[in-house]
Amino acid sequence: QVQLVQYGAEVKKPGSSVKVSCKASRGTFSNYIFIWVRQAPGQGLEWMGRIVPSIGSINYAQKFQGRVTIDADESTSTAYMKLSGLRADDAAIYYCARSGLEFGDPIDYWGQGMVVTVSS
Amino acid sequence: DIVMTQTPLSSPVTLGQPASISCRSSQSLVHHNGNTYLSWLHQRPGQPPRLLIYKISNRFSGVPDRFSGSGAGTDFTLRISRVEADDVGIYYCMQTAQLPHTFGQGTKLEIK
């Protein structure tokens, strides 16, 4: 069973940063692309960016450029997403997800998500 | 960015009856390799989404054959032949033809 393990929840102050981790079990880490998607309370899904660990390629959604950093540590099979300059409207569940390396491959597995609350 | 538009946004359905959700993209999702990169996801309350259908009509592992996808170019449809109680939740279409990948707004399926 593929697992993308994300831990719990964080409460952050406006203007601070949050770093979300996603540990992959099962399968070779470098055989996949890792994607970050967020979902604000009661809202839809929003694609933030992705990393292809095997080639070090990273893409970000324009909306988050300059505030988001995605990276990965192949030695621990863990992907990370850091969002800076937190605002109240960044409160959301942050999901990591996985797709294959072929062009257009769909997201086939999702982590459970990490709840981020932004409050002073 | 490619805009994905779903209709309806809410769909009350009777158990055992069919359901249908439409998704339209602002640009063609056909790649020059001939594949069309449109997926359907299902999200139950309190759960992450899960993949149902990819490349328009391919069911993901373990997805019942009650679910089917169709369409071409910019217009796509998800059909559930006989709705079961477990099918409630929100359905999203998603395009992976062009970065950034984008999602439809979601369609809430509920039982009448």
Side-chain angles (χ1 to χ4, degrees), chain A:
Chain A
Q1 177 77 353
V2 174
Q3 279 193 300
L4 299 176
V5 180
Q6 297 184 255
Y7 293 104
E10 295 230 34
V11 180
K12 292 292 185 179
K13 293 192 183 304
S16 69
S17 300
V18 66
K19 189 168 185 175
V20 187
S21 66
C22 171
K23 184 173 176 60
S25 66
R26 304 268 178 168
T28 304
F29 189 74
S30 58
N31 285 352
Y32 300 100
I33 295 172
F34 293 88
I35 303 110
W36 290 91
V37 174
R38 78 177 186 180
Q39 186 171 37
Q43 302 300 308
L45 302 169
E46 186 171 31
W47 192 92
M48 300 181 68
R50 70 173 195 176
I51 184 167
V52 187
S54 59
I55 60 172
S57 171
I58 302 171
N59 304 97
Y60 300 123
Q62 180 76 16
K63 174 177 179 176
F64 300 102
Q65 283 275 4
R67 285 210 302 144
V68 68
T69 304
I70 293 173
D71 61 12
D73 181 346
E74 289 194 63
S75 69
T76 59
S77 298
T78 304
Y80 299 94
M81 187 283 300
K82 180 180 178 181
L83 187 62
S84 305
L86 289 171
R87 307 184 289 250
D89 63 358
D90 289 318
I93 300 174
Y94 288 80
Y95 291 107
C96 76
R98 185 194 87 167
S99 75
L101 289 175
E102 294 293 320
F103 181 90
D105 270 354
I107 292 178
D108 58 2
Y109 290 101
W110 296 68
Q112 286 298 310
M114 178 173 168
V115 177
V116 175
T117 302
V118 182
S119 173
S120 54

Side-chain angles (χ1 to χ4, degrees), chain B residues 17-102:
Chain B
Q17 292 300 302
S20 178
I21 300 169
S22 295
C23 174
R24 176 168 288 178
S25 57
S26 61
Q27 300 173 36
S28 172
L29 303 184
V30 182
H31 191 259
H32 60 69
N33 65 11
N35 289 319
T36 302
Y37 295 108
L38 184 282
S39 306
W40 289 97
L41 312 172
H42 175 216
Q43 185 176 32
R44 295 188 179 103
Q47 294 293 317
R50 66 178 184 121
L51 178 64
L52 292 176
I53 302 276
Y54 62 97
K55 287 194 284 188
I56 303 179
S57 59
N58 295 274
R59 276 187 299 276
F60 187 55
S61 174
V63 175
D65 59 8
R66 301 183 292 105
F67 292 89
S68 63
S70 63
T74 61
D75 287 283
F76 308 95
T77 302
L78 175 71
R79 290 187 177 87
I80 309 173
S81 59
R82 297 172 308 279
V83 170
E84 297 184 359
D86 211 29
D87 299 337
V88 298
I90 301 178
Y91 290 80
Y92 296 93
C93 59
M94 178 186 183
Q95 67 82 16
T96 54
Q98 181 184 112
L99 291 175
H101 297 163
T102 47

